[in-house]
């Protein structure tokens, strides 16, 4: 159930700032030619965005033409005939089918990356892989394929290998080392690995490689009616938020550049016509949010009958009560091939046992992979918890920001609050006080959300105030500090939130403001910090020790006992295996409680305050 907890972030009305006119919604990104309009509000003044990037150049050295992939009843579209594993032939040779260079806006890879002889031992610049070296890994399931140490050991194909080099990836991360061979062997996989540890590539590489080497897509003759065509992707990647879907799409486009594998994204809040046009051009891999996909399926513009690969990113979120009905509908009640026929991969940094149990419906003879402790945060993130009363939160935040500014370093700070109203209010207040900020939450329209994210990423507004819509998956380089201005009710949400910093081997800082309102989180927070080698303040330990403050079972109780790593596959837990109705037991991973997965607060029903269908997030 969504919480109605209020926070000091909500109370702009008590502050001088609220007496000023409220900021109008952020305008759409400015036109490339016009100079930025004079500021009309704090929000707009602080966030004058850079002009949109020019359209990416068409790839001049495009691979040979190939028929449009994954499209039913495409007139004249013969089945593409893969000619080599290096790259599939591309279709049409028509202007619109030229492949823009997805690397055009990227920072150049490590200087020696291109020459990095078979992905030798050179490290990608800025990535501290040693941080991951001694991480414990556990796999369970039958006949687990062995891990690899280098990309060179995996036969991903020349074209994909070339793109891995272009990305500057020199060595696989631990989750990639284990997950890629498992997926390439055709096995279903439930994988849990820490935030920022490269899970996106871990599911994208096998999918792209499998499509490149796979048979041509079958093309049934049925259409969507009214002469419309039905797109028939080979792979489906589902994610819970629009921004995450866009990010996965961008990544997957890089990985599949000039492979002939076409990636399309579909998410709510954006005009469906553009997405339909994209789908008509053909699609091998469809990245989507559930709501928009259901819409496309109902319009018969997408068919899932050719799906060979299904990946659920943030799988635990996809299967909690906010999304589960839609996801079940997509996976079980449409025309998708069943488990065993398709290959299914579930990824997240957190995987409560009750969700594992539910997820096992989607899998067949799967391998469970845990890199690091399930649901743990990475040691790369320095975690601080400070006791701050509600009324003092703003001044405390201000102190932190001033201290940060005094270091002279330009850093990005992500501030999580509980409510959408709180996000707006805090954003305005920060701007009023000389800290350029923007915000992202479910009441902002999609254009505003994307604009806010761009403005933050570019450093134009180095503070982003966000609800949990930004908690999962977003990979924003240079986020140095995550502030939990309002702590979440759920320790898993905390893990994902702080995971927006300390990514890809870099270090980061997370500060949480704790007070009596957060007492139910005390124990799990203290345990998490301890597991991650963080100093737990004595006052927090005292909170945690009180039985009524998070000490009594339920979802926020972690399975403690001092063991930093152990069996996490719910199939190995004799007390919970097979008892699908059992939700108690006081084991964090298996324990459901009233505060558990009863509602997807940020994702459901348009955000906080509404349960049910995640309509506004997709
Ligand atoms: N092998 C690699 N070498 C270098 N960088 C990598 C490698 N794999 C991934 N990365 C980079 O690491 C960053 C984090 O990757 P990714 O977003 O996939 O993490 P994640 O595990 O999905 O995180 P989250 O749990 O927050 O979703 C990205 O910027 C990605 O480009």
């Amino acid at each position: 159930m969504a919480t109605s907890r209020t926070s000091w972030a909500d109370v702009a009305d008590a502050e001088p700032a609220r007496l000023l006119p409220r900021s109008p919604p952020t305008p759409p990104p400015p036109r490339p030619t016009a100079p930025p309009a004079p500021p009309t509000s704090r929000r707009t003044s602080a966030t004058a965005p850079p002009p949109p990037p020019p359209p990416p150049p068409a790839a001049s050295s495009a691979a040979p033409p190939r028929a449009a992939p994954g499209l039913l009843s495409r007139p004249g579209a013969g089945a593409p005939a893969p000619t080599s594993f290096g790259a599939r032939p591309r279709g049409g040779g028509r202007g619109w089918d030229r492949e823009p260079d997805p690397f055009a806006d990227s920072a150049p890879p490590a200087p020696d990356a291109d020459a990095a002889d078979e992905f030798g031992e050179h490290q990608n610049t800025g990535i501290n892989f040693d941080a991951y070296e001694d991480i414990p890994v556990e796999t369970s399931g039958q006949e687990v394929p062995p891990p690899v140490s280098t990309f060179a050991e995996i036969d991903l194909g020349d074209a994909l290998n070339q793109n891995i080099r272009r990305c500057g990836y020199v060595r696989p991360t631990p989750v990639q080392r284990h997950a890629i061979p498992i997926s390439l062997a055709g096995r279903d996989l439930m994988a849990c690995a820490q935030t920022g540890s490269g899970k996106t590539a871990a599911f994208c590489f096998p999918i792209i490689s499998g499509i490149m080497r796979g048979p041509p897509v079958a093309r049934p003759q049925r259409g969507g009616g009214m002469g419309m065509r039905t797109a028939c992707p080979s792979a489906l990647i589902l994610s819970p938020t629009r921004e995450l879907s866009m990010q996965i799409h961008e990544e997957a486009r890089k990985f599949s550049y000039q492979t002939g594998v076409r990636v399309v994204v579909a998410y709510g809040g954006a005009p469906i016509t553009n997405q339909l046009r994209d789908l008509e051009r053909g699609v091998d891999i469809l990245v989507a949010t559930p709501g928009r996909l259901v819409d496309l399926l109902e319009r018969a513009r997408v068919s899932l009958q050719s799906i060979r690969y299904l990946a659920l990113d943030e799988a635990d979120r996809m299967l909690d009560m906010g999304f589960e009905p839609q996801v079940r509908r997509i996976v079980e009640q449409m025309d998708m091939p069943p488990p065993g026929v398709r290959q299914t991969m579930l990824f997240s940094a957190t995987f409560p046992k009750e969700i594992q149990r539910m997820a096992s419906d989607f899998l067949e003879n799967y391998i469970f992979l845990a890199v690091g402790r399930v649901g743990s945060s990475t040691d790369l993130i320095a975690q601080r918890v400070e006791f701050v009363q509600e009324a003092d939160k703003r001044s405390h935040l201000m102190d932190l920001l001033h201290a940060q500014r005094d270091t002279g370093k330009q850093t990005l700070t992500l501030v999580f609050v509980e409510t959408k109203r709180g996000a707006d209010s805090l954003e305005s207040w920060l701007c009023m006080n000389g800290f350029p900020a923007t915000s992202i939450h479910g009441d902002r329209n999609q254009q505003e959300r994307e604009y806010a994210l761009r403005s933050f990423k570019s450093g134009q507004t180095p503070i982003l105030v966000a609800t949990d819509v930004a908690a999962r998956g977003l990979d924003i380089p240079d986020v140095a500090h995550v502030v939990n201005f309002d702590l979440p009710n759920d320790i898993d949400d905390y893990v994902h939130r702080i995971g927006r910093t300390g990514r890809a081997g870099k270090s980061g800082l997370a500060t949480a403001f704790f007070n009596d309102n957060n007492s139910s989180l005390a124990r799990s927070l203290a345990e998490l910090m301890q597991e991650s080698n963080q100093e737990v303040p004595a006052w927090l330990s005292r909170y945690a020790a009180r039985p009524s403050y998070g000490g009594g079972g339920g979802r926020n109780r972690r399975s403690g006992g001092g063991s930093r790593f152990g069996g996490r596959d719910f199939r190995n837990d004799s007390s919970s295996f097979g008892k699908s109705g059992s939700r108690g037991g006081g084991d964090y991973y298996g324990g459901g409680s009233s505060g558990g997965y009863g509602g997807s607060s940020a994702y459901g029903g348009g955000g906080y305050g509404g349960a049910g269908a995640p309509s506004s997030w997709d």
Side-chain angles (χ1 to χ4, degrees):
M1 213 166 76
T3 175
S4 60
R5 193 147 61 92
T6 55
S7 133
W8 192 246
D10 291 330
V11 292
D13 293 353
E15 296 290 315
R18 84 179 195 180
L19 300 173
L20 293 164
R22 196 151 155 64
S23 306
T26 308
R31 308 56 37 205
T33 47
T40 53
S41 72
R42 289 285 172 177
R43 175 178 287 166
T44 52
S45 67
T47 58
S60 55
S61 58
R66 113 179 221 241
L71 193 65
L72 298 186
S73 305
R74 182 181 172 81
T83 50
S84 83
F85 183 38
R88 299 168 89 205
R90 292 184 51 80
R94 290 148 70 168
W96 50 256
D97 209 20
R98 295 237 183 94
E99 186 175 11
D101 180 359
F103 296 96
D105 294 332
S106 312
D112 62 344
D114 259 352
D117 36 311
E118 289 305 299
F119 307 101
E121 288 305 302
H122 302 285
Q123 297 205 353
N124 184 16
T125 307
I127 307 284
N128 174 18
F129 276 103
D130 294 341
Y132 297 119
E133 281 313 308
D134 59 353
I135 202 158
V137 176
E138 182 190 277
T139 49
S140 49
Q142 293 163 1
E143 294 168 50
V144 181
V148 294
S149 305
T150 62
F151 284 121
E153 290 170 59
I154 325 170
D155 184 17
L156 290 169
D158 293 344
L160 178 50
N161 277 337
Q162 174 73 8
N163 293 332
I164 294 173
R165 281 196 196 91
R166 285 178 174 130
C167 286
Y169 296 2
V170 176
R171 265 189 344 188
T173 65
V175 66
Q176 293 164 3
R177 270 185 229 155
H178 290 261
I180 295 172
I182 291 170
S183 300
L184 284 178
R187 299 293 299 277
D188 281 4
L189 175 65
M190 185 186 287
C192 191
Q194 289 161 323
T195 51
S197 62
K199 294 187 288 293
T200 313
F203 59 77
C204 282
F205 290 176
I207 292 175
I208 294 165
S209 163
I211 292 174
M212 284 166 70
R213 65 173 81 210
V217 180
R219 302 196 186 284
Q221 294 306 303
R222 177 171 59 80
M226 309 282 291
M228 291 179 212
R229 298 163 191 155
T230 303
C232 212
S234 300
L236 175 65
I237 301 172
L238 286 175
S239 100
T241 65
R242 301 165 185 172
E243 288 76 15
L244 183 52
S245 289
M246 291 163 71
Q247 180 181 296
I248 295 168
H249 174 239
E250 277 167 29
E251 290 292 288
R253 273 183 56 226
K254 288 182 190 163
F255 302 149
S256 59
Y257 181 52
Q258 294 189 342
T259 61
V261 174
R262 199 171 133 79
V263 191
V264 171
V265 65
Y267 54 87
I272 200 165
T273 42
N274 296 350
Q275 294 170 6
L276 288 171
R277 208 169 32 239
D278 253 2
L279 286 165
E280 290 218 346
R281 290 173 183 168
V283 51
D284 293 300
I285 301 175
L286 177 59
V287 184
T289 51
R292 180 53 59 95
L293 178 60
V294 167
D295 191 356
L296 292 167
L297 291 166
E298 282 171 350
R299 293 173 189 228
R301 302 303 296 270
V302 169
S303 160
L304 301 176
Q305 66 189 23
S306 300
I307 291 293
R308 288 165 49 208
Y309 304 96
L310 169 67
L312 264 56
D313 195 16
E314 309 297 343
D316 57 330
R317 177 58 82 198
M318 302 304 292
L319 291 170
D320 79 11
M321 278 180 65
F323 281 107
E324 191 213 347
Q326 273 179 324
V327 172
R328 275 203 190 276
R329 186 152 172 232
I330 291 164
V331 176
E332 297 181 330
Q333 293 160 24
M334 310 302 284
D335 53 351
M336 190 185 294
V341 177
R342 65 161 196 261
Q343 193 181 341
T344 307
M345 297 164 235
L346 310 182
F347 280 78
S348 184
T350 51
F351 245 123
K353 279 188 180 164
E354 64 192 39
I355 299 285
Q356 288 190 34
R357 194 179 293 122
M358 219 186 283
S360 61
D361 293 352
F362 291 178
L363 300 159
E364 186 168 285
N365 188 22
Y366 67 95
I367 290 166
F368 179 87
L369 166 67
V371 180
R373 188 189 170 96
V374 173
S376 70
S377 63
T378 151
D379 299 4
L380 295 164
I381 307 167
Q383 296 176 57
R384 286 193 199 138
V385 186
E386 295 175 4
F387 194 92
V388 187
Q389 295 290 6
E390 287 296 322
D392 299 330
K393 281 183 172 178
R394 285 187 172 180
S395 58
H396 205 79
L397 177 63
M398 191 62 73
D399 290 346
L400 288 182
L401 294 173
H402 273 297
Q404 211 163 277
R405 190 180 265 180
D406 289 347
T407 65
K409 282 192 217 146
Q410 162 79 317
T411 53
L412 300 187
T413 303
L414 181 53
V415 183
F416 282 104
V417 297
E418 183 77 7
T419 66
K420 295 177 273 193
R421 187 164 161 250
D424 280 341
S425 166
L426 186 60
E427 175 202 359
S428 303
W429 186 82
L430 285 166
C431 292
M432 296 297 298
N433 284 279
F435 285 96
T438 185
S439 69
I440 184 165
H441 59 71
D443 273 355
R444 304 200 76 187
N445 69 36
Q446 191 53 27
Q447 221 181 357
E448 290 169 340
R449 281 165 59 160
E450 287 173 28
Y451 172 50
L453 213 50
R454 270 202 306 276
S455 173
F456 179 58
K457 279 185 185 174
S458 69
Q460 293 265 324
T461 43
I463 302 170
L464 179 66
V465 184
T467 60
D468 265 337
V469 71
R472 284 190 176 241
L474 295 186
D475 184 51
I476 303 169
D478 304 325
V479 174
H481 196 179
V482 171
V483 179
N484 272 293
F485 188 92
D486 299 323
L487 272 163
N489 295 321
D490 182 329
I491 193 68
D492 285 353
D493 290 339
Y494 173 83
V495 168
H496 287 278
R497 283 181 179 189
I498 66 170
R500 296 317 98 213
T501 187
R503 301 177 67 74
K506 291 181 186 156
S507 57
L509 172 66
T511 305
F513 295 172
F514 184 101
N515 59 41
D516 280 340
N517 293 338
N518 313 115
S519 50
S520 66
L521 199 70
R523 179 168 172 171
S524 51
L525 184 57
E527 287 177 355
L528 175 79
M529 290 178 72
Q530 210 164 18
E531 286 162 12
S532 318
N533 298 322
Q534 304 297 311
E535 195 178 324
V536 181
W539 60 262
L540 183 61
S541 301
R542 284 197 294 275
Y543 263 93
R546 297 184 209 172
S548 54
Y549 284 174
R555 176 127 194 274
N556 274 334
R557 181 179 174 196
R558 302 175 70 80
S559 57
S563 140
R564 280 185 47 75
F565 193 70
R568 301 288 171 255
D569 182 350
F570 94 101
R571 294 173 298 183
N572 297 339
D573 180 351
S574 56
S575 66
S576 67
F577 184 66
K579 296 182 191 167
S580 57
S582 162
R583 296 199 156 203
D587 177 338
Y588 161 72
Y589 296 107
S593 75
S594 56
Y597 288 90
S600 176
S601 54
Y603 298 85
Y608 289 101
S615 54
S616 76
W617 293 115
D618 47 29

